[in-house]
Amino acid sequence: MNKKFISLIMAALLSVSAFAVSASAAVTEEETAGAEVTAETTADDDKKTFFFDSGSWNSQNINFYIWDSTTNEYATGNKGWVGDNTWGSQKKLGGTAVEDKPGVFESYEVDLGGRENDAVYVIFHDPDTNAQTFDALINSSVYGHTASKNGVTYENPEDSDKTAEGVNFDGGDGLGVAKVITSTGKIQGDIIHSSVDRAEAVAVYVLKYLKNEKANVTEDSVANAISEFGTNADDVWAKYTSHKGDENYPDYDEEAAKKLIKPTEANDTESSSSSSSSSSSSSSSSSSSSSSTTSSKSSGGSTTTTTTGGSTTATTTGSDSGSADAASTGDTRGVIAFAGVLVAAAGTIIATRKKIED
């Protein structure tokens, strides 16, 4: 009888334990939820093309300039993806005019499959008038859809003397005008692809335009770019210095760039210099004051008492046992629940043992 009673009690305790662990896991899951989810799109169309309506341009020719900034590859109509920049090549990029639809052009076949995790862009360019659209993100969901100008005019990302028009697609997923930093430091566009290294984007802005008087790179423009791209000065500085000796950026200048980016290293240097000056002044002005410091330490922690100019300050540090760390670990509901189970188990065993002895 007693054995059966004990078995039932232990089974109940095990159930409660499982519940406590499950509750703790649920809390952990709730706290770690909210990670960014990137939608993936796929298409398996027989014809891998899409369209552009030139509208008011009344274009006779349209180039589909498509590139993958993740792999540094460029799409062509006759050789697939290549490593050489294809800008301006009518033979490689020219679209085909659609019959009975004046001003509408169909792209060459381009394989976007397997590039959903890459940042792939398109610019529609009229080689006859040099008109062009702004950088737009695309993926395989554009197949069969048409892009049209949306009426928004942007500053050309590479040349502030030129403009570029925004576009919208009539279908597809994950598409839109890309968010970029122009040569003059303006932040334009809407979407930053998940594969884009945000700190690198800001660093490249400084690398490319630091000594370009027309670009006028300033502390404010760099700080704004860091904020808009959701990064920080230290990461941008690390990316900047990683390009030291890179022939693609001949205007590399650490001293000038550090003043603009303001990494922690530079801030600490300025703070240290200011602190040193302040400390020297303070020391000089308080030389007539007396001070004494006494310390005591025990296994429960240490206390430092400092007396200066008639005032006393006591500072207590955490104990060696790490109790302060334990108190700052966050949610302890799971631990408390488990402790309660152990207490209940101990009480049940004692009660049962007493009953057996009686």
Side-chain angles (χ1 to χ4, degrees), residues 226-288:
I226 289 174
S227 175
E228 288 284 344
F229 272 69
T231 183
N232 61 76
D234 288 340
D235 287 348
V236 172
W237 178 244
K239 291 295 181 180
Y240 184 91
T241 54
S242 71
H243 289 285
K244 186 174 184 177
D246 189 336
E247 60 183 13
N248 293 316
Y249 303 109
D251 291 335
Y252 180 92
D253 185 334
E254 282 193 18
E255 184 177 353
K258 181 179 286 189
K259 293 178 180 178
L260 295 171
I261 298 172
K262 292 185 174 299
T264 301
E265 176 186 347
N267 295 337
D268 288 345
T269 300
E270 294 177 4
S271 177
S272 176
S273 176
S274 175
S275 176
S276 175
S277 175
S278 176
S279 176
S280 176
S281 175
S282 176
S283 175
S284 175
S285 65
S286 61
S287 59
S288 62

Side-chain angles (χ1 to χ4, degrees), residues 57 62 124-133 163 165:
W57 286 358
I62 286 293
F124 304 104
H125 175 231
D126 186 326
D128 300 322
T129 64
N130 215 29
Q132 69 174 77
T133 61
T163 59
E165 297 193 46

Side-chain angles (χ1 to χ4, degrees), residues 35-348:
E36 183 179 350
V37 178
T38 302
E40 294 186 3
T41 59
T42 58
D44 189 25
D45 296 352
D46 292 334
K47 196 171 186 181
K48 297 178 172 59
T49 62
F50 55 99
F51 304 85
F52 173 65
D53 186 347
S54 65
S56 59
W57 286 358
N58 297 315
S59 300
Q60 303 302 307
N61 297 290
I62 286 293
N63 287 344
F64 288 71
Y65 179 63
I66 303 169
W67 76 101
D68 185 331
S69 68
T70 303
T71 63
N72 290 321
E73 293 180 296
Y74 303 83
T76 70
N78 55 358
K79 294 184 179 179
W81 290 90
V82 298
D84 296 327
N85 196 328
T86 58
W87 178 261
S89 174
Q90 177 68 26
K91 182 178 180 181
K92 295 179 179 179
L93 308 179
T96 304
V98 177
E99 293 183 9
D100 302 326
K101 291 185 178 181
V104 177
F105 295 81
E106 182 178 13
S107 74
Y108 47 86
E109 289 209 47
V110 54
D111 186 4
L112 299 173
R115 295 179 183 266
E116 276 72 25
N117 294 323
D118 294 354
V120 182
Y121 303 88
V122 62
I123 289 176
F124 304 104
H125 175 231
D126 186 326
D128 300 322
T129 64
N130 215 29
Q132 69 174 77
T133 61
F134 198 77
D135 306 7
L137 279 162
I138 60 172
N139 53 40
S140 58
S141 72
V142 300
Y143 294 151
H145 293 292
T146 301
S148 302
K149 294 178 293 169
N150 61 15
V152 180
T153 301
Y154 299 92
E155 179 183 295
N156 186 297
E158 303 293 335
D159 186 345
S160 59
D161 287 335
K162 299 179 181 179
T163 59
E165 297 193 46
V167 295
N168 290 335
F169 279 83
D170 63 359
D173 186 28
L175 312 172
V177 178
K179 194 170 190 175
V180 303
I181 310 171
T182 71
S183 60
T184 59
K186 291 181 181 178
I187 309 300
Q188 298 188 136
D190 307 310
I191 303 173
I192 301 176
H193 192 272
S194 60
S195 70
V196 171
D197 187 324
R198 297 172 181 237
E200 173 76 1
V202 179
V204 167
Y205 159 62
V206 179
L207 285 161
K208 289 174 66 175
Y209 303 113
L210 175 61
K211 296 185 178 181
N212 185 326
E213 293 182 1
K214 186 177 179 180
N216 190 30
V217 181
T218 66
E219 292 181 13
D220 287 342
S221 67
V222 174
N224 184 53
I226 289 174
S227 175
E228 288 284 344
F229 272 69
T231 183
N232 61 76
D234 288 340
D235 287 348
V236 172
W237 178 244
K239 291 295 181 180
Y240 184 91
T241 54
S242 71
H243 289 285
K244 186 174 184 177
D246 189 336
E247 60 183 13
N248 293 316
Y249 303 109
D251 291 335
Y252 180 92
D253 185 334
E254 282 193 18
E255 184 177 353
K258 181 179 286 189
K259 293 178 180 178
L260 295 171
I261 298 172
K262 292 185 174 299
T264 301
E265 176 186 347
N267 295 337
D268 288 345
T269 300
E270 294 177 4
S271 177
S272 176
S273 176
S274 175
S275 176
S276 175
S277 175
S278 176
S279 176
S280 176
S281 175
S282 176
S283 175
S284 175
S285 65
S286 61
S287 59
S288 62
S289 300
S290 61
S291 64
S292 61
T293 302
T294 59
S295 301
S296 62
K297 183 175 183 180
S298 67
S299 61
S302 62
T303 301
T304 301
T305 303
T306 304
T307 303
T308 305
S311 62
T312 302
T313 302
T315 304
T316 304
T317 62
S319 67
D320 294 338
S321 63
S323 60
D325 290 340
S328 64
T329 54
D331 198 333
T332 58
R333 285 175 287 178
V335 175
I336 293 173
F338 190 67
V341 171
L342 292 179
V343 172
T348 301

